[in-house]
Every structure is written in C-alpha cells, then in structure tokens.
C-alpha cells in the first residue's frame, strides 16, 4: 500500500481509538495475545524465511539470535500483551481542573498522541510490544521494521490485524511499511500531516538518521555512556558491588556503566580492589596516570575513551580532585542517560543530584535500574535521552498528550 | 560572533543558571527592568534606525506599528520583567517521589531545558519577554530576531547583558544572532549540540520553515482556524454574544473565531440574528446553501473557506446535521488550536469535549480565552498546537524538563 494511504487509514483508525472504552481495548489486547499463540506455526514459518536470508547474508550470530522467534518467545510476546491489558488506562484522566475568577473551569484531559510512527531494527518482538503500548493509549501505530525481519513482521501484523477485525475494530490501528527502502523511510519521517510523533528504536546510526531527516517530531531514545563517581567518602564494598553490577550484569545495554570517576584521595587504595573485583569477568580497565600508578595491568586511557560507550567488558577510569570536577567531567562526556555517585557525604550527594545533567541521576545505586519496569511503569517504549516531552524510561504516559477542556456559561473577553 | 561560539558560550551560561538560586534570578530580573527604563534614550535611538529603514523599504503601517518602540512600550517591557520575577520558580520541584519495593526512592525533579532558541519576527518586545521567561526557568536563550528590528534588538540585548554582568551573572545567558541571513538561520536550527529546543514565534511561513529545516526539537506555535459550533439546543443570546466576541474583539489573533458550524434545525432562525449582530462590525458572512437561504447578503462559501484563517472581518458558516458531523467537520479543517460548542445538551457538550482534537476545547465560552494570562499562568511564551511536550498556552512550565533522581543505599540488579 502506498505511504499516503497508510497515513490516511491510520488517521481514520485513530479517530475511533481516541474515544474507545478501556474495556474494549483490553479485550482486544487479550484476543490478540491468544491469536498470536494460535498463529505460532505461521509466525515460525515466516521467521524461518528471515533466518534463512540472514544466514545466507552472513548475519552475525548476535543479530541472528535477536531475529529468531521460538515458541517460547511468541509466548512471551503474548504475555507482554496481557500485561499491557492489565495496566491502568491513562487516557481520559483530567488533571488539575481549576476555576478561574471569571467562572471558567479549566482542566487538562489526557488524550492520545494520535498516530505514532516507530522505526526499528531486526527484533520482531518490538512489533507486538509497540502495538500494545500504542493501542492501549488510543494511538494508531505505523511500524517501519528492518528488512531483515520483514517476513516475521508481516506475519505478526497480519495476526494482530485479524484479531482487531474479530474485535470489531479498525485493522489500520496497526500498519507495517513493507517497502524498507531508504526513500520510503525518509518520506515516512516527513509525513507531518499523518504522523504525530516518531520514535526510533535501535542503534546510534538509526537514531541519528531519524533526527537528521525527520520533520515529524521525534522522541530520541539514546545511547548511554553512563558513569559512576566514587567519592572520597564512599563505602568501598558498596562501590565495588554497584560497579560490578552496573558494568557486568549485562554489557550490551544502554544503562550499563562505561566509565568510572574516582576521587584522587582514594584512587591509590581503591584501584587495586577494583582491579581485583573486575578480574572475575576479565574486564579491561583503561585509566589515567593516577589509576595506572595504583595497580598493575591498567591500560592507558586516551581522550577518546572518556566518550566511548564500549558495550563490552571494558571500563575507563578517570581521577578527579573533587565532586565539582566529577560533575563537569560527566556533563562533558555523558550522553544524558544515567549517572551515579557512591558517597556518604550529604553535601556531595545533593551537589551531584543537582549538577549532573542526565535523564536519571543516582545516589548509591546501580545505573542498571533505568528501565520502565524497574521504575514501576509496567511497560517501556524506550528510554528518552532528550529533554522535550519525555525524559528517561517511557511508559504509557509518554504516549499521551493533553488538551485543555474549558467549561463556561457564556464567558466572553 | 560565530554561531558555534554563541552556542558554546550559551551552554556555559546554562551550567551556572541551572542551579542558580531563585532569589538571585529575581534580583537580576528587577535590575534588568530598571536598566531597560534607564536605557530608554538608547533604545529609542536604535529603534529609530529600524523605523527609518522600515519606512525607506515601504514597510506596511501595521508592521511599522509593531516595530515601533515608545517610552510607554519600554515601560511595559520593564513591567513584564517584574511580573516574571514575581512568579513562582518551577525549577527544583520534586514530583511524585515514590519508594520502590527494593527500597529505591524515585522522583522527578523539574529542571531547565538548557539552551532555548527563539526565532521571531519584527517585534522587539519579544526580546525582553523571551529572555525573562527563559532566565526565570534557568535556561540560556539564543535569539534570532528579524532583520527589520536588528538595531532595536541589539540595543535591548546590550542593556540586558550589562544588567546580568552588574548582577555577577554570565552575560551569555542571552545572545542575539546578528547575522539574519537564511544560511545562518538554517545553521542555527541544526545546532543540536548546543540548542535543546527551538520555538518559532511568528507567521505560518516562519513556522513552516523551522519545522521543515530544524533538526533541533521544535515546539510548534501555530495558526488558529478556530470554530464555534452552535448546537440545536444553544441559547441564541449566549451564542451571539460569544460569536461576536470571538470574531470581532481582536481580528488578527490566533484564537479569534474564523468559522461557525450551525445545526440544520436552527439555521433558518439563527442566521438572520447572526447577520444582524455581525452587521455592527460589517463582518462578511460566507455560508453554504442553507445559510444563504436563511438570510440576505450571505456570500457563497467555497471549499477553500472552510480551511481559511481570515484574520479579518470575515467568517464562514457551515450547516451540519448533528454534533457528530460538527466534530468531524471541525477535526478535518481545524489547525488544532481552539474550538467551542454552544449548547444546553449535556450529552453533546461531553461528545464535543471528547471528540474534538484541539489544544483547547470550550463549552459555552469564547475561544479568545486561549492565552497564558487568561489561563492563570502569569506569562506566555506562545501557544503550542503540537501534541508533544506542551499543548495550548505555554507558561513557565513549558520551558522546563524533568530528570529522575534516585536515592539508594547500595541497590544492585
């Protein structure tokens, strides 16, 4: 189908979704979950075609694994849909209705964004996940997945669409752009008439391309060059536990720790303990001179290291004179994602919370908690590293807007 | 100064503003207000140069009037600055701090956006106004005014900068891009490294150019093709008062009414009363056939009329069969600004509030109330017609973001 037609039909679906009862939305989500499981064989067959192409194109093992659907993974997709059905519906809530001196009552009502565009890479589970979150919040969704997952995505979208029809709802509440060419993708990013917001989900290159080319407003989900600052007054055991967790629990995620900042008064004593602890996972430590002097086996860090998101068993360590220098180092090299201080000083904790410019700033906890589920949202559409609209982990609320509703009895100006 | 240098120095100022005490911000705003008044002669002399150029270039009278500074207008600018000083500072408020099952306390702290870029046309009062709102919310501001007001803007910014220096604050909290060429403006719109948000203030052409060319996130302030729907059950006197007010109180503003929608069962009786009432201000009525049949002197409306923001003594009138048709007509032709229903029907009022997709939806009141001051914000940076980040009149809160702050005692995942 042509892109304009997809946009138009999504807008039409959105008009119905906008005022759809929560009960009906939840029922449709449960039907969709059941049918995805029933369609398991179809989904596996479609996915096998993508896998064959992937293998033929020498796709790396890591990507093949992300592309793969299994019976269990389809079951997890269904569980995800049921979890979203169980969440509270944010749509329709009226915030802060107040009476003005002239008698007008003015409040803000939570409403859907409209049509949400999602551009993502080769993870077919995003297809069902993104649909569930958008649908629950009354938005139509237009998906542009990667060409590597095309057959899988087509099969998932077909299954969801037949569930929508069976529930008496417009199937164009979800659309998939099957033409994955660069021209079509760019056209999609500029469809301001039909698309209210674009959310790119994927690597840094994809996100940069969307920010550079889109005229539709974008919610930038980003990379994470996350720091942990070990203050002079830190409890060393706590610091080591947190660093070990934030660096090694899962290395490929955006909230993993990539860089340490250590107070100069403790660097001598702390570095050997750090080196010992990180040895368990063979983490390479790249440090400045003070760090290298403090322990054996430290690799010299270059300027480039301070700005690098390794996503690997590597960590950089920088020495600073005080919390102020730690804050300005972090603000210079971070990506605005998650930053932590380990300290026992009230003053330094507050300075750090105030001064560090990031979506999530921690005292005495692992950066790995930056996540919609860990924050208690029950869902996550991504982690925003921009300051507009939504910052940090995004749950259902990030997919809503508000409108002012004003009740009068004849007021004029 | 070169654009990158302006961006860098704004970022440096923002670091200081980010954690500046409210008292210090307020004092600096009061000093700035006093000094603008003291600098009246300088400002008038600079403005006279712009006025001379404007007259030499045959600038229309309306624009010349907007460009003109007088002693009174400079006094009003100072009053505006003092009013902003008197407003509550939203920065630093912590929203919804909650304890998670693992003991982490997670809250959202209100923080500045960072560096705000404002692109506007030939109204020099915007210069002081935009500075005050951005400064109060801890943001640095980079202004790109129109070439027509360049001398005025330079003089105002110089005055503000010397007040900032006198207050011991970085003068680069405000910068003016003096090169008003298209290339520089486009470069400014793509300075994602230094600018956190762009707000265009001006006509439809300016806003479109910013949306099309910017890679920095934009808050779109927009045009208003505002409707009033006169329901079957409307009180005619109330309807006529509201329409007269919304159409004629000020014709050149975005919240003025441009189009009426009338229930077919009352069009015969209502139209003659409407024509009579609007005759007082010689408003031209452009109607469909039912409207033309109902009164003399109605001009036939074309399809184009339904989508036109006249900003003039002209109004279009469309007949509909019911509230549903009114809602879908309005959603098709509106610009997402302000829409009103005049009704006595509870059911139709609620349908209209729910179904109309706009920043502000009214029952039984004039669309002219869509305004930051009328809504009780004490200030206004513009009226957003987009759904992301801010929708409707924007006060100080629209110039803020949040960050998550998380207090732990050693939590790991």
């Amino acid at each position: 189908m042509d892109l304009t037609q997809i946009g138009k039909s999504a807008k039409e679906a959105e008009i119905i979704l906008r005022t759809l009862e929560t009960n009906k939305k939840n029922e449709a989500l449960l039907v969709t979950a059941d049918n995805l499981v029933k369609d398991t064989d179809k989904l596996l067959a479609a996915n096998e075609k993508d896998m064959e192409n992937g293998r033929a194109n020498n796709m790396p093992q890591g990507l093949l694994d992300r592309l793969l659907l299994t019976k269990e993974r389809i079951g997890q997709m269904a569980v995800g849909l049921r979890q979203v059905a169980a969440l509270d519906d944010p749509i329709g809530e009226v915030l802060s209705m107040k009476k003005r001196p002239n008698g007008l009552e003015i409040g803000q009502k939570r409403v859907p964004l409209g049509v949400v565009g999602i551009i993502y890479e080769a993870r077919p589970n995003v297809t069902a996940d993104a649909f569930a979150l958008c649908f629950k919040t009354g938005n139509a969704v237009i998906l542009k997945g990667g060409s590597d997952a095309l057959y899988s995505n087509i099969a998932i979208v077909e299954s969801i669409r037949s569930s929508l029809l069976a529930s008496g709802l417009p199937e164009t509440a979800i659309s998939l752009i099957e033409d994955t060419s660069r021209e079509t993708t760019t056209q999609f990013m500029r469809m301001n008439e039909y698309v209210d917001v674009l959310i790119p989900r994927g690597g840094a290159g994809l996100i940069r391309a969307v920010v550079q080319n889109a005229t539709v407003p974008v919610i930038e989900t980003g990379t994470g060059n996350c720091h942990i600052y070990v203050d002079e007054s830190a409890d060393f055991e706590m610091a080591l536990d947190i660093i070990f967790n934030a660096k090694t629990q899962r290395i490929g995620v955006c909230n993993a720790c990539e860089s340490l900042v250590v107070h100069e008064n403790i660097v001598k004593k702390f570095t050997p303990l750090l080196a010992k602890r990180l040895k368990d996972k063979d983490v390479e430590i790249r440090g400045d001179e003070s760090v290298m002097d403090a322990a054996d086996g430290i690799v010299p860090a270059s300027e480039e290291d301070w700005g690098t998101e390794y996503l690997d068993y590597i960590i950089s360590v920088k020495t600073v004179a005080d919390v102020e220098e730690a804050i300005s180092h972090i603000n210079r090299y971070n990506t605005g994602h998650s930053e932590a201080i380990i300290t026992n000083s009230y003053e330094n904790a507050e300075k750090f919370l105030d001064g560090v410019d990031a979506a999530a700033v921690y005292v005495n906890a692992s950066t790995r908690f930056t996540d919609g589920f860990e924050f208690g949202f029950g869902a996550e559409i991504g982690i925003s590293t921009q300051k507009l609209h939504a910052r940090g982990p995004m749950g259902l609320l990030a997919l809503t807007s508000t409108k002012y509703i004003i009740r009068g009895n004849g007021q004029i100006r």
Side-chain angles (χ1 to χ4, degrees), chain A:
Chain A
M1 193 160 42
D2 130 271
L3 212 49
T4 307
Q5 199 47 49
I6 291 178
K8 272 190 190 164
S9 65
K11 270 279 168 218
E12 282 161 21
E14 185 250 320
I15 291 171
I16 293 164
L17 298 187
R18 193 187 295 158
T19 52
L20 197 63
E21 257 175 45
T22 305
N23 283 338
K24 292 208 172 136
K25 292 193 279 191
N26 292 344
E27 281 160 26
L29 284 169
L30 296 177
V31 169
T32 303
D34 291 346
N35 286 344
L36 273 179
V37 174
K38 281 184 199 151
D39 288 340
T40 294
D41 290 344
K42 278 190 216 167
L43 301 193
L44 292 179
N47 183 247
E48 183 51 30
K49 282 203 229 173
D50 287 327
M51 292 294 289
E52 268 169 33
N53 288 339
R55 282 183 223 110
N57 296 328
N58 294 315
M59 186 184 269
Q61 193 52 46
L63 290 184
L64 277 176
D65 182 60
R66 286 167 58 167
L67 178 57
L68 179 70
L69 285 181
T70 62
K71 210 180 148 189
E72 289 66 38
R73 287 186 178 181
I74 293 168
Q76 284 160 11
M77 282 163 48
V79 169
L81 287 164
R82 293 188 192 108
Q83 282 171 345
V84 172
L87 293 175
D88 281 345
D89 185 352
I91 299 302
E93 186 190 4
V94 176
L95 312 161
S96 63
M97 193 100 187
K98 279 179 192 150
K99 202 158 187 166
R100 297 287 306 151
N102 60 1
L104 283 180
E105 292 188 277
I106 303 183
Q108 277 184 295
K109 189 165 199 165
R110 212 174 268 293
V111 297
L113 284 170
V115 176
V116 177
I118 297 188
I119 301 180
Y120 58 112
E121 288 168 340
R123 288 175 62 170
N125 65 313
V126 171
T127 309
D129 198 34
F131 162 73
L133 298 172
C134 291
F135 181 77
K136 177 82 186 211
T137 44
N139 295 291
V141 64
I142 302 177
L143 300 164
K144 214 297 287 167
S147 54
D148 297 332
L150 185 61
Y151 290 109
S152 310
N153 288 336
I154 289 174
I156 295 168
V157 170
E158 266 178 16
S159 174
I160 294 173
R161 283 189 151 200
S162 58
S163 298
L164 288 169
L165 282 179
S167 306
L169 295 173
E171 60 174 0
T172 56
I174 179 170
S175 301
L176 179 72
I177 299 173
E178 298 183 16
D179 172 1
T180 56
S181 69
R182 185 179 296 260
E183 299 70 45
T184 301
T185 306
T186 303
Q187 197 195 332
F188 178 42
M189 295 183 206
R190 306 180 77 90
M191 293 217 309
N192 295 54
E193 197 179 344
Y194 302 114
V195 183
D196 293 284
V197 57
L198 277 181
I199 305 178
R201 288 182 64 170
L206 171 74
I207 291 161
R208 206 176 312 116
V210 174
V211 169
Q212 287 300 315
N213 292 303
T215 55
V216 172
V218 174
I219 301 179
E220 201 174 330
T221 62
T223 52
N225 182 25
C226 304
H227 297 74
I228 295 176
Y229 167 55
V230 187
D231 194 26
E232 193 179 3
S233 65
D235 177 316
F236 281 8
E237 273 314 300
M238 183 194 285
L240 292 169
D241 286 348
I242 288 174
I243 292 165
F244 186 77
N245 177 260
K247 178 69 248 178
T248 71
Q249 195 229 358
R250 237 179 117 187
I251 56 162
V253 290
C254 58
N255 57 18
C257 176
E258 304 291 1
S259 190
L260 299 182
V261 183
V262 179
H263 193 286
E264 61 183 14
N265 291 356
I266 57 165
V267 69
K268 257 205 143 43
K269 212 172 136 196
F270 184 72
T271 306
L273 301 172
L274 176 75
K276 186 162 173 258
R277 186 65 180 269
L278 292 180
K279 191 94 181 68
D280 285 1
K281 294 273 185 182
D282 281 328
V283 177
E284 177 180 318
I285 301 176
R286 299 189 186 173
D288 60 19
E289 278 191 24
S290 308
V291 176
M292 293 179 72
D293 287 349
D296 291 332
I298 310 289
V299 177
S302 69
E303 169 74 18
E304 208 193 321
D305 280 296
W306 309 137
T308 300
E309 184 185 15
Y310 301 113
L311 300 172
D312 200 349
Y313 290 101
I314 306 172
I315 198 164
S316 66
V317 188
K318 159 89 182 166
T319 312
V320 293
D322 50 28
V323 69
E324 282 79 10
E325 192 187 343
I327 292 169
S328 63
H329 174 81
I330 290 171
N331 285 341
R332 173 151 179 213
Y333 291 101
N334 78 347
T335 54
H337 198 295
S338 301
E339 314 297 339
I341 182 174
I342 317 298
T343 190
N344 229 330
S345 155
Y346 176 82
E347 189 185 356
N348 290 352
E350 300 306 310
K351 273 188 186 163
F352 194 87
L353 285 174
D354 263 7
V356 169
D357 192 20
V361 189
Y362 293 82
V363 178
N364 294 344
S366 170
T367 55
R368 287 280 292 116
F369 286 107
T370 304
D371 173 289
F373 296 92
E374 293 294 333
F375 275 26
F377 304 159
E380 183 185 286
I381 189 84
I383 296 173
S384 163
T385 52
Q386 71 177 33
K387 293 189 185 174
L388 236 59
H389 185 68
R391 195 179 192 198
M394 296 187 288
L396 292 178
L397 283 187
L399 293 172
T400 69
S401 179
T402 57
K403 68 179 173 193
Y404 283 99
I405 59 172
I406 303 103
R407 296 176 190 274
N409 48 19
Q411 281 83 351
I412 58 170
R413 252 180 107 170

